[in-house]
Amino acid sequence: MSASRLAPLPFLLVVLAAPAPAVARTAASAGCPPRLVARCFTLTVPLDHGGAVPGSVRLRVARIPSRKAFRPPLVGLTGGPGQAGVVFAETYDILLPTIGRDLVVFDQRGTGGSGLLRCTAFERRVPTGLSNPAGACGRSLGPRRSFYTSADSADDLEALRVRLGAPRIALYAVSYGTRVALEYARRHPQRVERMILDSPIGIDAPDPLARETFAAVPRVVRDVCRAGCGGAYAHPVSDLARLRARLRRAPIRHVLRRGTRRVPVRVSADDLLSMLVTGDLEPELLAEIPPAVRAALAGHGGALARLKLRLLSIDSGGPISEFSPALFATTTCEESPLAWDPAAGPASRRSQARAAANATSAAAFFPFDRRAGIAAGPLPLCADWPAPARAVAPEPPLPAGIPALVLSGELDLRTPLETARALTRALPGAQLLVERGVGHSVLGADPGGCADAAVGAFLGGGALPRCRRGGASLTLSAQDVGGPVRSRANRVERHAWTSFYRASSTGRRSMTGSAPASARTTWSRPAR
């Protein structure tokens, strides 16, 4: 099979009973993926690990045994928030070199087979984007919504470790999953043997105005245009700024033909940003945006309209069994840093968000503007979300001494390279691998390449290999990442595979997405 992408990446009601002991089930009844040699079971955990609020959640777990396990098990953490895990167990099994380790994947609370959260009316709006107001969903969930945070998932992970009987575990986390991994490492550093953080979220979670994404846009656009950008390489960033200003005054309206149908397409300034962010999943499409922008400036908007439709088809949430919009909204609105007082009403929240944007230099959003910053943050989703019923506890300090490998794609706009560098600096002993020509979700974007080799060596306890094939990548230690990113580049093979999370808003069907037909690789199950 071709690997699908681990997404990063959105929430119905869970019927909660009194806490009960864990109950093992057969593979069929527990929903084990077909053709997968796995032991599936359920683990019952408290709704509130603090014990103040009654109720429980049953977690669905898949454990893929090694032929001879002599290392701690490797636990995979998917993105979202809202993405299920067990449905992607086969992809993990192919993707991760787990020799000597059992591989464990589970549906985090509120997803897949682990007490799936549902808000039907909200789900119907998901195809048009996860920026729709989710307040009615939050009110329907009631006070229980406060127990679907990353901290709760980290406590679930500790309960799973105990159930596995493992003194320590290793972690592979992608996108939002890296937040859960770090939360667990903060709480239980002595229980983490090592961790791989692929396309990590920032230490302080997504910025409420998405400033980390805006800061990366000029660099990413210039990096994309190194190969030419179809003649638009001269001024791609200023071209974006000019078109953004023009679209604020009058969006592009274009009619495309789809067989016998005529499809009207509207491209706004905010669409332009969304297209760039979604394009980090498909670098080949990302490279088509600067020429389309140049054409639109010349009065020809058809190419940009066609790109919008193609990119929209990439970043859809997938079936509810694989991605829960209700859980996405719940976790995002309950725990994200906000540009407003969560106790304020919707109108005041909007005013406070605008004030925060106005207090920020316009240069922080260039080539976009402050309106784009507000639209890209959690305000559109969370403006009318109920005030949190439980305060978010302060995070413990980041752990020291845990071996960590950070993976980052240079074209990632959801969780940009600058974010990965800051995280690597904050984790003593961490190593950073930067992959050229790759966007979000590095490991899925580079089968057989430098990241794959590095992960295998890291999980085996060895030194990271030096790669000297084709494109460019680099490996840095925590002490190295303060300087220019390209100062210590090693050579590695560049693959056309694409990646799969808008760090603050969208979900997608897979771990990583699907590759262009010309770039697809046939994988066999690695030796275990």
Side-chain angles (χ1 to χ4, degrees):
M1 63 174 280
S2 61
S4 58
R5 278 220 169 143
L6 284 176
L9 299 235
F11 334 129
L12 201 17
L13 302 179
V14 187
V15 178
L16 300 168
V23 179
R25 297 194 292 171
T26 66
S29 64
C32 241
R35 304 185 307 279
L36 186 68
V37 180
R39 300 166 185 166
C40 292
F41 60 93
T42 59
L43 171 67
T44 300
V45 296
L47 171 68
D48 174 12
H49 284 274
V53 178
S56 63
V57 181
R58 298 177 66 180
L59 305 177
R60 181 172 67 162
V61 185
R63 182 174 188 169
I64 305 170
S66 170
R67 291 195 181 104
K68 185 178 180 181
F70 55 91
R71 294 188 175 107
L74 175 64
V75 179
L77 297 170
T78 49
Q83 191 175 40
V86 173
V87 70
F88 300 111
E90 186 175 6
T91 304
Y92 274 107
D93 191 33
I94 293 171
L95 208 60
L96 294 167
T98 56
I99 296 174
R101 299 178 187 271
D102 288 355
L103 174 63
V104 180
V105 182
F106 72 106
D107 294 341
Q108 295 177 45
R109 58 170 59 199
T111 74
S114 297
L116 178 65
L117 287 189
R118 299 290 305 273
C119 289
T120 307
F122 180 67
E123 291 163 9
R124 286 197 294 266
R125 298 197 299 270
V126 168
T128 64
L130 291 173
S131 60
N132 296 289
C137 176
R139 288 185 287 274
S140 70
L141 292 172
R144 73 191 75 183
R145 65 181 175 271
S146 292
F147 296 96
Y148 289 87
T149 66
S150 301
D152 296 302
S153 288
D155 287 339
D156 291 345
L157 181 54
E158 172 61 5
L160 176 58
R161 182 199 63 78
V162 172
R163 172 69 170 78
L164 295 172
R168 294 195 297 168
I169 56 177
L171 301 173
Y172 168 76
V174 62
S175 196
Y176 163 76
T178 63
R179 179 173 178 123
V180 177
L182 287 171
E183 185 70 28
Y184 182 78
R186 291 175 192 267
R187 293 164 174 254
H188 306 283
Q190 73 283 6
R191 299 300 186 185
V192 182
E193 183 234 0
R194 62 190 58 238
M195 57 184 176
I196 300 167
L197 306 173
D198 187 342
S199 307
I201 291 179
I203 298 170
D204 298 319
D207 181 81
L209 296 173
R211 281 169 287 203
E212 71 277 18
T213 289
F214 291 105
V217 166
R219 173 186 57 77
V220 168
V221 171
R222 292 187 184 106
D223 286 345
V224 165
C225 286
R226 282 197 308 253
C229 277
Y233 59 86
H235 306 288
V237 179
S238 59
D239 284 350
L240 277 172
R242 290 170 56 208
L243 185 59
R244 178 265 304 163
R246 187 177 298 182
L247 294 178
R248 284 287 181 221
R249 297 190 296 269
I252 291 171
R253 300 181 186 275
H254 195 83
V255 177
L256 298 176
R257 291 189 177 275
R258 289 289 184 268
T260 59
R261 295 186 303 120
R262 293 168 60 85
V263 181
V265 180
R266 179 181 181 273
V267 182
S268 68
D270 292 336
D271 288 331
L272 193 59
L273 175 63
S274 296
M275 291 166 67
L276 284 167
V277 173
T278 305
D280 74 0
L281 308 178
E282 302 283 357
E284 290 184 339
L285 291 182
L286 186 60
E288 295 183 31
I289 294 177
V293 167
R294 174 60 64 92
L297 286 170
H300 307 292
L304 206 58
R306 285 189 290 273
L307 269 175
K308 177 181 177 179
L309 288 188
R310 291 166 67 190
L311 290 166
L312 278 177
S313 69
I314 293 170
D315 223 357
S316 58
I320 297 300
S321 60
E322 297 179 4
F323 183 78
S324 169
L327 192 280
F328 176 87
T330 299
T331 304
T332 300
C333 299
E334 287 287 323
E335 73 175 22
S336 293
L338 303 172
W340 62 83
D341 178 357
S348 294
R349 292 179 181 183
R350 293 184 177 92
S351 296
Q352 291 172 28
R354 286 193 295 270
N358 290 335
T360 302
S361 168
F365 304 102
F366 186 83
F368 291 90
D369 54 17
R370 294 184 176 95
R371 285 178 59 183
I374 295 172
L379 181 69
L381 181 70
C382 304
D384 64 341
W385 188 262
R390 182 180 65 156
V392 177
E395 292 181 333
L398 284 170
I402 299 176
L405 175 61
V406 180
L407 307 178
S408 183
E410 70 164 351
L411 304 183
D412 191 345
L413 282 169
R414 302 164 194 248
T415 53
L417 171 56
E418 290 79 5
T419 294
R421 295 176 69 194
L423 177 60
T424 306
R425 285 195 297 268
L427 290 172
Q431 298 179 85
L432 169 66
L433 185 142
V434 181
E435 196 74 73
R436 290 278 182 90
V438 167
H440 196 67
S441 184
V442 173
L443 190 58
D446 183 37
C450 190
D452 185 66
V455 167
F458 180 76
L459 288 175
L464 300 190
R466 294 179 63 85
C467 300
R468 297 185 178 277
R469 300 168 294 165
S473 172
L474 60 137
T475 304
L476 302 173
S477 69
Q479 290 71 33
D480 294 328
V481 295
V485 172
R486 297 185 185 85
S487 61
R488 301 170 184 266
N490 294 328
R491 306 297 293 176
V492 300
E493 181 178 4
R494 174 178 174 180
H495 285 266
W497 267 84
T498 56
S499 319
F500 188 113
Y501 181 103
R502 178 181 176 196
S504 62
S505 68
T506 53
R508 185 177 173 183
R509 183 206 177 277
S510 54
M511 287 176 54
T512 50
S514 60
S518 60
R520 287 188 180 164
T521 302
T522 301
W523 294 352
S524 59
R525 187 175 184 271
R528 298 178 57 83

